[in-house]
């Protein structure tokens, strides 16, 4: 199911990017709309089937990141080689490779690790969380 989802992510991301570019939006907005389209499709599938959306589960690997990179690659290729059908295929392939590599080798972005509380006797940093007492 994860492999089929990776294909769906790649295809829907490209549809979102191409349709938004056809409407004349800026490149950064086209990337954003492509990622939202790709991720939103999987989100709707999971909600309609009564499951916790894949995007919100722990241990999801390179989901929106793969869509973002593929959409950016498509925009770049389309800028330098406008109108080439290979642009779409290369971007879909990049999304698939990133997503499938993330699944296979459990690749992901680094997680936020909050700092531990400051030792007693030291003034805590303004930006650190308050110490539990």
């Amino acid at each position: 199911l994860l492999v089929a989802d990776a294909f769906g992510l790649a295809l829907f991301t490209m549809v979102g990017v191409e349709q938004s570019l056809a409407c004349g939006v800026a490149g950064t907005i086209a990337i954003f709309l492509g990622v939202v389209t790709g991720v939103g499709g999987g989100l709707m599938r999971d909600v309609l089937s009564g499951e916790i959306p894949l995007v919100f589960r722990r241990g999801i690997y390179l989901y929106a990141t793969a869509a973002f990179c593929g959409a950016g690659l498509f925009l770049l290729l389309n800028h330098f080689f406008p109108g080439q059908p290979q642009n779409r295929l290369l971007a879909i392939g990049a999304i698939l490779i990133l997503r499938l590599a993330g699944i296979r080798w459990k690749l992901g972005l680094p997680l936020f690790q909050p700092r531990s509380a400051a030792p007693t006797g030291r003034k805590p940093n303004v930006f650190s969380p308050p110490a539990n007492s």
Side-chain angles (χ1 to χ4, degrees):
L1 185 61
L2 291 176
V3 173
D5 183 65
F7 276 95
L9 175 69
L11 293 175
F12 281 108
T13 300
M14 288 313 306
V15 167
V17 171
E18 288 182 322
Q19 289 299 312
S20 57
L21 286 175
C23 290
V25 300
T28 53
I29 295 173
I31 291 172
F32 173 75
L33 290 173
V35 172
V36 168
T37 304
V39 172
L43 187 91
M44 282 180 46
R45 178 205 61 229
D46 290 339
V47 168
L48 291 175
S49 65
E51 296 179 13
I52 297 173
L54 192 63
V55 178
F56 298 141
R57 293 183 200 165
R58 179 165 266 211
I60 187 70
Y61 303 106
L62 294 182
Y63 198 78
T65 307
F68 178 78
C69 291
L73 177 65
F74 177 75
L75 203 67
L76 227 104
L77 289 171
N78 210 30
H79 176 73
F80 289 111
F81 309 104
Q84 297 294 321
Q86 296 88 351
N87 297 348
R88 180 181 310 119
L89 295 175
L90 287 171
I92 288 172
I95 296 171
L96 280 173
I97 288 171
L98 282 172
R99 178 71 180 121
L100 294 175
I103 293 169
R104 171 70 176 97
W105 290 296
K106 299 184 184 338
L107 302 173
L109 297 176
L111 296 176
F112 174 71
Q113 299 289 330
R115 285 191 239 161
S116 60
T120 56
R122 244 179 99 187
K123 187 175 181 180
N125 188 345
V126 177
F127 297 106
S128 64
N132 296 335
S133 36

